[in-house]
Amino acid sequence: MKPFVTVLLAVACGVLWSTTTLLAQEDMRTVPNDVFMAPQRPPAVFVHDEHNTAAGIDECNRCHHVYRDGQLVEDESSEDYRCSDCHAETDTDDGMPALMDAFHGNCKQCHLEKGKGPIMCGECHQRP
Ligand code: HEC
Ligand code: HEC
Ligand code: HEC
Ligand code: HEC
């Protein structure tokens, strides 16, 4: 009986390990809204890698940008930071867009420019 239990345990651990690995590799499905104190909308649909491939965006810093002295830095990117690390939820008086405006300015602005991608509230903020 004992060896059997050991085998079962080993199999169970293997299954658990592969599930967590799969989860870790899964593409982001929505832009997390946990950074807002009291979110009013469901998080926006955004399948990160799939979206960027379909939209043909090659440069990470098209979204994960870096500014120095008010100038956009061409060949640096900030994907190790969250947007909220730099953009405060409430308006500041230094000309930085507040967090919601930063998201809308990034996402909606490009969709408008390209004439592709959702611009209506409910198309991005979809009820799960
Ligand atoms: C192109 C996609 C897109 C569209 C269109 C869009 N949003 Fe958003 N919005 C976002 C993203 C991304 C965030 C950041 C966090 C998240 O996922 O909700 C956000 C955040 C917000 C927030 C702050 C977080 C919260 O839930 O309180 C509000 C409020 C909001 N949007 C309302 C609207 C309204 C109203 C409209 C239509 C006039 C709209 N949005 C259209 C993408 C979009
Ligand atoms: C169209 C805009 C856009 C582009 C292009 C983009 N990202 Fe992102 N990425 C986001 C947004 C939005 C988030 C969520 C940020 C937040 O929560 O503050 C994010 C989150 C991330 C995260 C952390 C969350 C996670 O677990 O996935 C990493 C890492 C990341 N991006 C890497 C990259 C890399 C590398 C590239 C280029 C190959 C890239 N991104 C291109 C918009 C973009
Ligand atoms: C390392 C800090 C930093 C991070 C991280 C960051 N930003 Fe910014 N962002 C800035 C600064 C600084 C400006 C203001 C530039 C200026 O003075 O006009 C800015 C400006 C913007 C603007 C208006 C100008 C433009 O480029 O369109 C938008 C929209 C924006 N950010 C969206 C985002 C989004 C979305 C994310 C996350 C994917 C993000 N930012 C992450 C620093 C940051
Ligand atoms: C640089 C341009 C650009 C930026 C920035 C951008 N998008 Fe898009 N997005 C596109 C294009 C182009 C398409 C249409 C792709 C296609 O033809 O399938 C699209 C399609 C979409 C779609 C519908 C298709 C899908 O992938 O489900 C959603 C949802 C979406 N975008 C959400 C977002 C959100 C949320 C953000 C901000 C975090 C964002 N986008 C930022 C260009 C952009």
Side-chain angles (χ1 to χ4, degrees), residues 73-119:
V73 184
E74 289 276 332
D75 44 13
E76 282 178 39
S77 58
S78 58
E79 66 267 15
D80 295 341
Y81 296 89
R82 299 195 67 182
C83 310
S84 54
D85 289 335
C86 297
H87 294 276
E89 184 167 354
T90 46
D91 267 318
T92 48
D93 46 17
D94 55 5
M96 279 281 281
L99 190 55
M100 184 183 75
D101 299 333
F103 280 117
H104 289 161
N106 178 256
C107 316
K108 268 204 265 183
Q109 195 58 40
C110 180
H111 294 168
L112 284 169
E113 278 165 20
K114 304 253 184 216
K116 275 188 192 165
I119 48 172

Side-chain angles (χ1 to χ4, degrees), residues 36-76:
F36 291 91
M37 279 199 290
Q40 294 161 26
R41 302 256 167 181
V45 175
F46 182 62
V47 189
H48 191 277
D49 299 356
E50 203 178 285
H51 171 276
N52 296 341
T53 305
I57 313 171
D58 300 324
E59 306 290 338
C60 305
N61 66 4
R62 177 62 181 80
C63 301
H64 301 285
H65 53 206
V66 174
Y67 281 89
R68 202 163 289 127
D69 303 325
Q71 298 294 314
L72 192 64
V73 184
E74 289 276 332
D75 44 13
E76 282 178 39

